[in-house]
Amino acid sequence: MPDWLEAVLRVVGVLVAFLTLPLVVGQAEHKVMAHMQGRLGPMYAGGFHGWAQLVADGVKFVQKEDVTPREADRAVFRLAPVVALVPYLLALLVIPLGPGDLVGQPLDIGLFFVLAVVGVGVVAVLMSAWASANKYSLLGGLRGAAQLLGYELPLVLAAASVAMAAGTLSLPGIVEAWRPWWLLWQAPAMIVFFVAGLAEIRRPPFDMPVADSELVFGYMTEYTGLRFAFFLLAEYVGIVVIAALTTVLFLGGWQGPFADAQLGWLWTLLKVFAVSFVIIWLRVSYPRLREDQLQRLCWLVLVPASLAQLVLTAAVRVAL
């Protein structure tokens, strides 16, 4: 197969995953929340178990008027939703689905690349906040930037712990080096990474920057129609990316109870959807943190825990 054709097929595969997996997670969230909170609406759309709920949401967003505030910086305002989506698309390019060639683009520094591009999300938050010409949007954007910059540190430190344990920054290399006993050894790093990842994608209970009860909707207040839908899509793609990274770094990726490498992609997807379910479950179960509680958790709990795990991993690596 020519190199150019292989590259095209890999990019197309990543685009298909980018467009389908977030929709599956979104549909699952409707159903999980409907069952946990006794919501009747999502169970009736389309007849059979509410299968058309996601379609109805899409039609609703398409029909809404696309409004741009008079005082807004129009170019930046319209570009912000795209900037929110692109980093997650780039991240999916290097996250392996299975062994061998089941990855969009294998990189020796794949972990470094993913952490770098995911951190670009703060730019979209600041762009939408500033360009909206709305004080609630600006306040939400500043809160979002403070949250993203703060939780980036424990996220990187936790990922560095497992990379140090594996001795590589390659995501497929980390999966190949992973052993089941790492579930205990790297458990603190996994918890820190997962919690920091939730804060990075601003999922409840870390959704203070878009708190509808006091900020209307934060930096998304002025967005309507498809532009608002793009922000929601970025949130669901973020769930997929954080779940996939948690799977690859801490849960063994494509490794399963059987030695059949042909089923590696299936084990990866099952783990990703299991982690995504936990993310949805936390949204339903826990109340929103206050701003002071959110920052205290980051700097007084997660950062010390990630540093302690990093020291432990270094000590074990030296001893072995």
Side-chain angles (χ1 to χ4, degrees):
M1 181 184 297
D3 292 341
W4 65 269
L5 181 57
E6 181 180 357
V8 170
L9 291 177
R10 289 177 183 271
V11 171
V12 170
V14 172
L15 283 175
V16 171
F18 177 76
L19 295 174
T20 57
L21 292 180
L23 298 181
V24 174
V25 172
Q27 181 74 353
E29 182 170 58
H30 280 106
K31 302 308 169 189
V32 171
M33 293 180 65
H35 282 292
M36 288 187 171
Q37 296 182 331
R39 298 186 178 191
L40 298 180
M43 308 305 292
Y44 284 95
F48 180 70
H49 206 68
W51 66 270
Q53 179 62 48
L54 204 61
V55 177
D57 288 341
V59 172
K60 176 185 69 175
F61 284 122
V62 169
Q63 291 179 335
K64 285 183 178 294
E65 182 181 1
D66 183 14
V67 178
T68 301
R70 182 183 299 109
E71 302 298 326
D73 186 327
R74 292 179 176 270
V76 178
F77 182 85
R78 293 171 178 172
L79 186 61
V82 178
V83 176
L85 275 171
V86 170
Y88 296 121
L89 174 60
L90 296 177
L92 288 176
L93 279 172
V94 299
I95 298 177
L97 180 62
D101 295 331
L102 288 179
V103 57
Q105 180 60 51
L107 293 179
D108 291 337
I109 56 169
L111 179 58
F112 176 82
F113 176 81
V114 168
L115 295 177
V117 298
V118 169
V120 176
V122 67
V123 178
V125 171
L126 291 175
M127 287 173 63
S128 59
W130 174 259
S132 294
N134 181 301
K135 60 183 178 181
Y136 295 106
S137 298
L138 182 60
L139 182 57
L142 293 177
R143 283 184 174 182
Q147 177 174 320
L148 293 176
L149 292 175
Y151 278 87
E152 190 76 21
L153 180 58
L155 185 80
V156 171
L157 291 175
S161 174
V162 72
M164 183 185 296
T168 179
L169 288 173
S170 168
L171 293 177
I174 291 174
V175 176
E176 292 171 357
W178 184 88
R179 296 295 179 268
W181 65 278
W182 285 21
L183 290 173
L184 295 178
W185 178 36
Q186 295 295 325
M190 179 176 65
I191 295 172
V192 170
F193 184 89
F194 180 73
V195 173
L198 288 182
E200 283 290 306
I201 59 176
R202 299 166 296 282
R203 286 285 297 181
F206 302 98
D207 59 337
M208 176 56 70
V210 291
D212 51 344
S213 59
E214 57 176 283
L215 293 179
V216 187
F217 222 73
Y219 55 86
M220 293 187 288
T221 297
E222 300 293 348
Y223 284 91
T224 59
L226 286 178
R227 300 186 196 281
F228 182 75
F230 284 162
F231 273 114
L232 292 185
L233 179 61
E235 178 181 335
Y236 288 118
V237 181
I239 293 176
V240 174
V241 170
I242 293 301
L245 286 175
T246 304
T247 296
V248 169
L249 296 178
F250 301 100
L251 300 179
W254 62 75
Q255 297 191 40
F258 307 109
D260 188 0
Q262 300 298 324
L263 294 177
W265 61 272
L266 179 60
W267 291 118
T268 301
L269 288 179
L270 288 176
K271 294 175 184 178
V272 167
F273 286 125
V275 176
S276 299
F277 171 79
V278 175
I279 294 175
I280 297 170
W281 174 40
L282 290 175
R283 172 180 181 173
V284 178
S285 304
Y286 287 89
R288 177 183 297 125
L289 295 177
R290 297 197 313 264
E291 185 67 19
D292 60 314
Q293 294 173 330
L294 188 145
Q295 296 294 339
R296 187 179 298 113
L297 175 65
C298 174
W299 295 105
L300 299 184
V301 179
L302 297 186
V303 171
S306 58
L307 287 173
Q309 178 64 36
L310 199 61
V311 171
L312 173 62
T313 301
V316 172
R317 288 286 295 177
V318 171
L320 295 178

